[in-house]
């Protein structure tokens, strides 16, 4: 299936991808970054899959599907020649163990149904030992164990279990899949129908806090729900996406693991949540941040595990064929060791926004922020890998320098506006010095545009953030010139590329092309409205909304070559600027 054929369900500790044909092809338990027990997304059914739908040789796509109101409860309906059937998929708020519930409802007539489940642990490598215990299917493999409560007998076939049954109008059947550590006693059973009611109530209560009332409410609320679903509730960490190794270039090598907490992505997510009335998430994330970065400022990483883990070694899984042959499949992320100076600005900006939005002061937080500022003062003038995590040589990226300016600017405001103690005069002098250097070394007067790095000719979509972060006012001719240059040189079929990807531009050190990074196009919409081109901004924004799949989700990129979403899914970094652009458009 295409990436956009999937929908997300989750319990704010992990997540599953449910295909339009009723197949769950991705689920990692017990955490987002745990090994998968359903991994067909990156291989085939022998790497783990659970299909449930109308019987037949062809696993037909659902006639229609939707989320039940403003929730993360998915409904898929099939119209058949003998009747209509509905499957409800969700993961209830976690109790002792993670549960996945699939409820089959007869809507009209009688429908012949089928289900087939391949349980595979460790990213599809381990075929578990399976037995029946009081009619319940129990699978064990190493540290992992699952219990499957089925309303119909499941028959062993090869290394899978399957069943056929029929459902008639008014009938309901529930399947419950529960993971727990293999050394522990059997988990406590849940009531799937009570959990359905409770899950819907939980999401309805959360959405009721949303303060956005604009014309694109449905798109904004669905994006907010998606961001909340990517939050690891025990710690407050926020992952960038629910998947690993979905390709940025179909069949290529640009395949990365995004199931971790990038400081940049998390701060941008937090900004969107705060703007929409969700201050508790800011409180939880600040607590996570203080735990994760505790220690020496020079040891700050650009990403961490969901509980604040620092070791995220990158490795390849050769037994997985990759999504549509896109190899290698990677887990972990080598970018954890990169220098990305922009994260200091994003952290300082997000912390400042949290405070000005009503978050109570925390002296320990300010002490850590001051240590971070000491690092910025000492290292701002070094080359780095930048926000795009290039795997080519380090450069003096304009966006990185600008975000160092942001870090110092917000530090000054902490003193001048919030009353904290700090060397505001020293910070102010360095802030102004960085500003002058960027305007001198990163600006091309012949083309009236800022460039990707000092002395380069190339552009970078991150330059669209210049007026958004306040580095220069929107009416500055250099800002307008930069926006117009990006429209001329980085737009392909109406969408914005991150930067030129070609043989003669080795900035990222990788072969192959990529799609249009969706965040960049949303940034352009926000920048256009800031310079007074609102009608064009609205047209672009609404065109971007049409790229969402049928349940409102976006991957990392859209590839106009194939007319498809590409990259990890769903991607926080796409839904965050959607929210910001909607608010900017009014």
């Amino acid at each position: 299936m295409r990436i956009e054929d999937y929908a997300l369900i989750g319990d704010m500790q992990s997540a599953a991808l449910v295909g339009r044909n009723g197949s769950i092809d991705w689920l990692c338990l017990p955490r987002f970054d745990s090994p998968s027990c359903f991994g067909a997304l990156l291989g085939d059914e022998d790497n783990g899959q659970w299909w449930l739908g109308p019987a037949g040789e062809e696993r037909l796509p659902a006639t229609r599907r939707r989320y039940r109101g403003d929730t993360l409860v998915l409904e898929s309906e099939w119209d058949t020649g003998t009747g209509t059937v509905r499957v409800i998929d969700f993961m209830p708020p976690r109790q002792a163990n993670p549960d996945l519930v699939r409820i089959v409802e007869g809507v009209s007539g009688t429908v012949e149904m089928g289900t087939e489940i391949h349980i595979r642990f460790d990213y599809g490598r381990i075929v578990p030992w399976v037995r029946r215990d009081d009619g319940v299917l129990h699978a064990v493999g190493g540290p992992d164990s699952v219990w499957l409560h089925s309303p119909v007998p499941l028959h062993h076939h090869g290394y899978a279990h399957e069943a056929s049954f029929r459902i008639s109008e008014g009938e309901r059947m529930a399947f419950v899949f529960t993971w727990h550590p293999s050394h522990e006693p059997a988990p406590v059973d849940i009531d799937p129908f009570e959990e359905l009611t409770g899950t819907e109530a939980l999401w309805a209560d959360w959405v009721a806090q949303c303060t956005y009332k604009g014309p694109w409410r449905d798109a904004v609320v669905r994006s907010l729900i998606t961001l909340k679903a990517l939050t690891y509730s025990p710690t407050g960490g926020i992952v960038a996406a629910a998947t690993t190794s979905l390709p940025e270039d179909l069949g290529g090598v640009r395949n990365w693991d995004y199931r971790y907490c990038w400081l940049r992505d998390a701060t941008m997510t937090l900004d969107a949540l705060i703007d929409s009335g969700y201050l508790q998430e800011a409180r939880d994330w600040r607590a996570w941040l203080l735990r994760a970065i505790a220690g020496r400022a020079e040891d700050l990483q650009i990403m961490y595990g969901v509980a604040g883990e620092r070791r995220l070694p990158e490795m390849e899984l050769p037994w997985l064929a990759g999504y549509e042959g896109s190899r290698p499949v990677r887990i972990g992320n080598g970018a954890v060791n990169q220098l990305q100076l922009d994260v200091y600005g994003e952290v300082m900006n997000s912390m400042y926004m949290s405070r000005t939005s009503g978050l109570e002061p925390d002296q320990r937080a300010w002490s850590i922020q001051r240590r971070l500022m000491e690092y910025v003062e000492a290292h701002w003038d070094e080359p780095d890998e930048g926000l795009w995590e290039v795997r080519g040589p380090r450069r003096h990226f304009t966006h990185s320098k600008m975000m160092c300016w942001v870090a110092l600017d917000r530090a000054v405001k902490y003193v001048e506006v919030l009353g904290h103690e700090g060397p505001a005069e020293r910070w102010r002098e360095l802030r102004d010095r960085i500003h002058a250097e960027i305007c001198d070394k990163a600006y091309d007067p012949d083309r009236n545009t800022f460039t990707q790095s000092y002395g380069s000719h190339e552009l970078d979509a991150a330059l669209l953030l210049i007026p958004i972060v306040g580095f220069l006012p929107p009416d500055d001719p250099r800002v307008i010139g930069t926006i117009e240059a990006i429209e001329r040189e980085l737009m392909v079929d109406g969408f914005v590329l991150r930067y030129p990807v070609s043989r003669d531009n080795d900035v990222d050190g990788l072969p192959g092309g990529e799609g249009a990074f969706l965040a960049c196009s949303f940034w352009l919409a926000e920048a256009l409205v800031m310079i007074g081109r609102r009608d064009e901004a609205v047209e672009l924004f609404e065109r971007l909304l049409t790229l969402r799949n049928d349940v409102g989700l976006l991957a990392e990129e859209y590839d106009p070559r194939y007319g498809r979403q590409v990259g990890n899914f769903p991607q926080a970094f796409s839904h965050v600027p959607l929210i910001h652009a909607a608010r900017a458009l009014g």
Side-chain angles (χ1 to χ4, degrees), residues 80 82-84 106-111 167-171:
T80 73
T82 60
T84 297
V107 178
S108 66
T110 298
V111 180
I167 189 87
S168 298
E169 181 177 346
E171 293 181 336

Side-chain angles (χ1 to χ4, degrees), residues 330-404:
R330 296 181 175 96
I331 59 171
N333 200 305
V336 68
N337 298 314
Q338 288 188 351
L339 175 64
Q340 298 177 20
L341 291 168
D342 64 293
V343 298
Y344 295 90
E346 277 118 14
V347 168
M348 290 296 294
N349 181 66
S350 185
M351 297 286 269
Y352 180 73
M353 276 193 60
S354 300
R355 286 282 290 110
T356 56
S357 297
L359 193 64
E360 60 277 0
D362 185 308
Q363 189 56 44
R364 183 167 63 107
W366 177 238
S367 297
I368 291 177
Q369 288 172 266
R370 288 193 59 171
R371 290 205 299 272
L372 295 181
M373 293 313 303
E374 291 172 2
Y375 185 86
V376 172
E377 290 181 273
H379 298 277
W380 71 271
D381 56 352
E382 297 178 7
D384 72 342
E385 281 88 2
L387 87 161
W388 302 129
E389 302 182 348
V390 300
R391 301 206 172 192
R394 288 182 175 181
R395 300 168 187 248
H396 291 282
F397 285 106
T398 304
H399 175 263
S400 296
K401 305 301 185 192
M402 179 178 71
M403 294 310 294
C404 288

Side-chain angles (χ1 to χ4, degrees), residues 68 88 90 92 101-105 151 167 170-176 190-200:
R68 299 182 76 162
I88 302 170
F90 68 100
V101 178
R102 313 195 76 177
I103 297 174
V104 184
E105 293 184 339
I167 189 87
E171 293 181 336
R172 292 200 300 177
M173 298 180 178
F175 296 80
V176 180
I190 64 169
D191 183 318
F193 302 107
E194 288 185 1
E195 294 295 337
L196 175 59
T197 300
T199 302
E200 289 188 281

Side-chain angles (χ1 to χ4, degrees), residues 171-245:
E171 293 181 336
R172 292 200 300 177
M173 298 180 178
F175 296 80
V176 180
F177 180 95
T178 304
W179 180 96
H180 78 125
S182 59
H183 64 277
E184 293 184 356
V188 176
D189 296 346
I190 64 169
D191 183 318
F193 302 107
E194 288 185 1
E195 294 295 337
L196 175 59
T197 300
T199 302
E200 289 188 281
L202 177 147
W203 284 107
D205 290 345
W206 188 80
V207 170
Q209 302 172 50
C210 178
T211 58
Y212 176 77
K213 308 297 181 184
W216 298 283
R217 183 186 182 279
D218 288 347
V220 168
V221 167
R222 180 51 53 192
S223 292
L224 288 167
I225 291 172
T226 303
L227 298 180
K228 180 65 172 175
L230 296 174
T231 300
Y232 186 68
S233 60
T235 65
I238 303 171
V239 299
T243 59
T244 179
S245 296

Side-chain angles (χ1 to χ4, degrees), residues 50-107:
W50 184 5
W51 169 74
L52 176 61
E57 292 186 6
E58 293 188 42
R59 297 180 177 181
L60 298 174
T63 309
R64 57 193 160 272
R65 63 178 181 169
R66 66 184 182 92
Y67 286 112
R68 299 182 76 162
D70 293 331
T71 76
L72 207 62
V73 177
L74 180 70
E75 284 188 347
S76 304
E77 291 186 350
W78 286 262
D79 294 335
T80 73
T82 60
T84 297
V85 63
R86 176 186 301 130
V87 175
I88 302 170
D89 291 309
F90 68 100
M91 295 177 70
R94 192 170 300 190
Q95 299 177 26
N97 301 284
D99 299 292
L100 188 156
V101 178
R102 313 195 76 177
I103 297 174
V104 184
E105 293 184 339
V107 178

